[in-house]
Amino acid sequence: MLKPNETKMFHEAGESADAIARQLVANDAIVAALVDKLKAAPPRFIVTCARGSSDHAATFGKYVFETQVGLMTASASPSISSIYHAKQQLDGALYIAISQSGGSPDLVRAASGAREAGAHVVALVNVEDSPLARVADTVVPLRAGPELSVAATKSYLCALSALVHIAARWNGDEALYAALQDTPDAMRATWAMNWSPLVDGLVGAHDLFVVGRGLGLGAAQEAALKLKETCGLHAEAFSSAEVKHGPMALVGRDFPVLFLTQQDESIAGIREVADEFAARGAKVWVTSSDSAQSHRLPVAAAPHPVCAPLIAVQGFYKAANALSIARGHNPDVPPHLNKVTRTV
């Protein structure tokens, strides 16, 4: 039986902070050149295109661009191009395609179609000579380095940092860029913190909700996917606003709910829902840097709310890896899955 610190997932996720620190230095000239183009010809709107963990990064990107740049951001369905062959009106759009491998045919086809339709296509990819990179106008490398575990970890976190990097430079927000530079240290500190209460509490679980809001919603989606993928645990992600509709009917005694938070306008509402669920007897965990927070999973304080999801997911990945082993799985080789998903 593997030990938690022997998996590829453990070592690759643990490299995330160093990968982001290298990425920020290596990509700054690329991002500056992209921003010059965007300022010279301002896009009318932003479209993202991705699948899996990369699509969860795109959800995060939506909130980053809409809150920091003020530009409407929507998610494209690759199937519109790949199976329906429909033409889209994308003239004047910024089209951001996100992929670890850059090899999925439907993403490549969608990005190529977007470029033909007049969009400026930006590829956020870990494989810089991939088919997706070749059809893009601008390539922003993720620079995560080799990722051998099927479960994407550092490439996801590098995608988040690349999105924040673009937004900070585009908006001219030096405080946000400085906070992003400080984020790897907060990630390293969180990696060393104890999330064993979450691991112990989910060893025998069958179902779970992961809850976030705004900037944290994509992180909740990513956490839910990783729990399915690596732990064989049925987990669903919800906004703290949406979970109070139909899904909350399932939350009773001992039902587990993980809340991923950031210190912004969303925090009061998330804590209210967490307290309500805890009062029903649910098993509740809340990420927080505040030692007085009830049901706390510790994270280092985020230098900016936009950076909080990177820090929380860093802690989560370590816990998910340990939980996978505790539940008798190998997180590096989930059943029925491959590293590159070639959707057409």
Side-chain angles (χ1 to χ4, degrees), residues 4 6-15 148-154 191 226 229-231 316-322 324 330-332:
E6 294 175 342
T7 68
K8 294 182 179 68
M9 181 180 177
F10 178 87
H11 289 289
E12 290 170 1
E15 294 170 357
L148 302 178
S149 177
V150 169
T153 53
K154 60 179 176 174
W191 185 256
K226 284 297 181 289
E229 184 179 22
T230 66
C231 303
F316 168 79
Y317 279 154
K318 184 179 178 183
N321 175 77
S324 177
N330 181 345
D332 295 333

Side-chain angles (χ1 to χ4, degrees), residues 284-306:
V284 169
W285 299 274
V286 182
T287 62
S288 179
S289 61
D290 180 0
S291 60
Q293 170 68 48
S294 56
H295 317 293
R296 176 181 179 239
L297 288 175
V299 293
H304 191 290
V306 168

Side-chain angles (χ1 to χ4, degrees), residues 163-186:
L163 290 162
V164 177
H165 193 173
I166 293 168
R169 288 307 198 200
W170 192 356
N171 196 31
D173 190 336
E174 291 300 325
L176 177 56
Y177 182 64
L180 182 59
Q181 291 178 301
D182 291 340
T183 296
D185 284 340

Side-chain angles (χ1 to χ4, degrees), residues 107-291:
L107 293 181
V108 175
R109 192 175 295 116
S112 180
R115 188 174 181 180
E116 292 172 2
H120 182 98
V121 175
V122 175
L124 272 59
V125 289
N126 200 36
V127 182
E128 296 178 45
D129 61 350
S130 62
L132 180 60
R134 289 195 291 271
V135 303
D137 296 292
T138 301
V139 176
V140 178
L142 297 182
R143 304 188 192 276
E147 193 171 55
L148 302 178
S149 177
V150 169
T153 53
K154 60 179 176 174
S155 61
Y156 170 79
L157 289 169
C158 283
L160 301 195
S161 67
L163 290 162
V164 177
H165 193 173
I166 293 168
R169 288 307 198 200
W170 192 356
N171 196 31
D173 190 336
E174 291 300 325
L176 177 56
Y177 182 64
L180 182 59
Q181 291 178 301
D182 291 340
T183 296
D185 284 340
M187 293 170 65
R188 294 183 189 101
T190 300
W191 185 256
M193 293 178 179
N194 179 21
W195 281 38
S196 60
L198 180 69
V199 177
D200 295 342
L202 294 179
V203 168
H206 299 287
D207 301 283
L208 172 73
F209 285 171
V210 187
V211 178
R213 191 166 188 187
L215 291 159
L217 180 58
Q221 293 171 337
E222 170 64 6
L225 176 64
K226 284 297 181 289
L227 291 170
K228 296 186 188 86
E229 184 179 22
T230 66
C231 303
L233 173 56
H234 177 230
E236 296 297 333
F238 294 99
S239 159
S240 60
E242 293 297 333
V243 79
K244 293 196 70 173
H245 292 273
M248 74 183 305
L250 297 175
V251 181
R253 180 160 298 280
D254 294 328
F255 190 93
V257 188
L258 168 61
F259 291 84
L260 303 180
T261 73
Q262 66 275 345
Q263 289 289 335
D264 64 7
E265 294 85 346
S266 69
I267 188 65
I270 291 179
R271 286 179 170 170
E272 179 182 337
V273 176
D275 290 343
E276 180 180 345
F277 286 177
R280 296 185 194 177
K283 292 181 179 179
V284 169
W285 299 274
V286 182
T287 62
S288 179
S289 61
D290 180 0
S291 60

